[in-house]
């Protein structure tokens, strides 16, 4: 029996068009918005199809699902972003197999990633701090008032390059206001953090236009590319 295959190329084209329109409306260059295809729960074959249609950056949430996919797709030049919750016993594998981690929200996790990445002798792991801007009890992330301190303490850890902030909004909030508030936090830290502080990872299928309007440099889009997920 053949299962339904979404038309990845058509979907990807439509998402790129949404990014283009949102960037134009905000007076921004769409080339400054990196699309991360959130491929959690989707098989390696669909990632391969997305790559064939031009996607280069992929986001994964669950390590045990991601590792075999990354191995299976090692023949492609892909950039892998870890966008899920980080369990401390998974930091070594995350540090070894991913290029980016968007979901660092405590020093202990950052220290473990730093240690593992340094030991592996790789280029630095690119890191964003996750901010729980809506104080959503169901979401991970630093409280906004804790971000500046944490960023400064993590800035010099070997093997990590701090790039900016990431957020996932509450379902019932005000996306425009929340994204603007993360963007302000990000901009306020720029003088202290320097030139590599250049990443605002925010916006998903439902709210990418508002995120781009507020200055997102990376949007993480799953459903609009791969179709609905059967499990969360
Ligand atoms: C699944 C996921 C996305 C993509 O969500 P969609 O609504 O399917 O676009 C983005 N960011 C994170 C952290 C996710 O877990």
């Amino acid at each position: 029996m053949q299962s339904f295959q979404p038309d990845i190329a058509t979907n990807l084209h439509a998402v790129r068009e949404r990014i283009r329109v949102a960037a134009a409306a905000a007076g921004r260059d769409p080339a400054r918005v990196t699309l991360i295809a959130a491929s959690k729960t989707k098989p390696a074959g669909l990632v391969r199809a997305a790559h064939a249609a031009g996607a280069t950056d992929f986001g994964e949430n669950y390590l045990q699902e991601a590792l075999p996919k990354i191995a299976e797709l090692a023949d492609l030049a892909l950039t892998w972003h870890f966008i899920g919750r980080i369990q401390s016993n998974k930091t070594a594998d995350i540090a070894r197999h991913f290029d980016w981690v968007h979901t660092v929200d405590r020093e202990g996790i950052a220290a473990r990633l730093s240690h593992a990445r340094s030991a592996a002798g790789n280029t630095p792991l690119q890191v964003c701090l996750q901010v729980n801007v809506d104080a959503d009890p169901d979401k991970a992330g630093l409280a906004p008032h804790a971000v500046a301190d944490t960023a400064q303490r993590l800035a010099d850890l070997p093997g990590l390059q701090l790039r900016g902030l990431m957020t996932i909004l509450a379902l019932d909030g005000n996306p425009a206001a929340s994204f603007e508030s993360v963007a302000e936090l990000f901009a306020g830290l720029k003088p202290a953090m320097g030139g590599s502080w250049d990443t605002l990872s925010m916006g998903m299928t439902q709210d990418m236009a508002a995120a781009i309007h507020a200055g997102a440099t990376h949007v993480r889009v799953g459903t609009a590319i791969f179709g609905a997920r059967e499990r969360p």
Side-chain angles (χ1 to χ4, degrees):
M1 201 173 71
Q2 198 168 356
S3 64
F4 173 73
Q5 293 290 305
D7 184 345
I8 300 286
T10 302
N11 292 351
L12 207 50
H13 182 79
V15 168
R16 291 204 183 286
E17 186 59 16
R18 283 173 67 186
I19 291 172
R20 196 191 62 73
V21 168
R28 298 187 55 208
D29 177 0
R32 305 299 293 270
V33 182
T34 298
L35 173 61
I36 300 173
S39 47
K40 61 174 175 274
T41 81
K42 301 299 178 182
L46 290 188
V47 174
R48 197 172 281 281
H51 173 261
T56 54
D57 288 70
F58 293 87
E60 287 284 338
N61 295 60
Y62 310 108
L63 188 68
Q64 69 267 39
E65 178 197 333
L67 290 183
K69 260 192 248 185
I70 292 172
E72 188 175 338
L73 297 164
D75 59 310
L76 305 178
L78 306 181
T79 299
W80 290 99
H81 301 253
F82 191 80
I83 61 173
R85 280 192 194 233
I86 307 174
Q87 296 167 265
S88 57
N89 63 342
K90 303 279 169 61
T91 46
D93 275 329
I94 292 171
R96 249 183 245 124
H97 296 282
F98 284 80
D99 304 291
W100 284 71
V101 178
H102 291 237
T103 42
V104 170
D105 66 353
R106 50 199 195 276
E107 279 183 79
I109 291 289
R112 294 179 70 102
L113 290 170
S114 164
H115 179 78
R117 188 73 169 198
S118 305
N122 268 330
T123 54
L125 188 61
Q126 308 300 303
V127 168
C128 293
L129 298 179
Q130 182 173 354
V131 187
N132 188 359
V133 65
D134 298 319
D136 181 344
D138 295 332
K139 299 243 163 13
L142 291 156
H145 68 81
V147 169
D149 232 39
T150 306
Q152 261 146 39
R153 275 202 301 274
L154 302 189
D156 294 327
L157 283 178
L160 305 186
Q161 180 145 50
L162 267 194
R163 297 292 297 270
L165 301 179
M166 177 271 203
T167 199
I168 310 171
L169 299 191
L171 290 176
D172 57 355
N174 175 342
S178 295
F179 286 140
E180 291 295 347
S181 122
V182 178
E184 275 172 33
L185 193 55
F186 170 76
L189 283 167
K190 178 112 183 127
M193 301 302 292
S196 61
W197 185 258
D198 60 2
T199 301
L200 253 184
S201 168
M202 56 189 199
M204 318 191 345
T205 291
Q206 293 302 328
D207 54 19
M208 68 174 116
I212 290 167
H213 189 267
T217 63
H218 290 65
V219 291
R220 311 173 309 267
V221 180
T223 308
I225 297 172
F226 296 109
R229 291 178 290 274
E230 282 169 25
R231 54 189 173 85

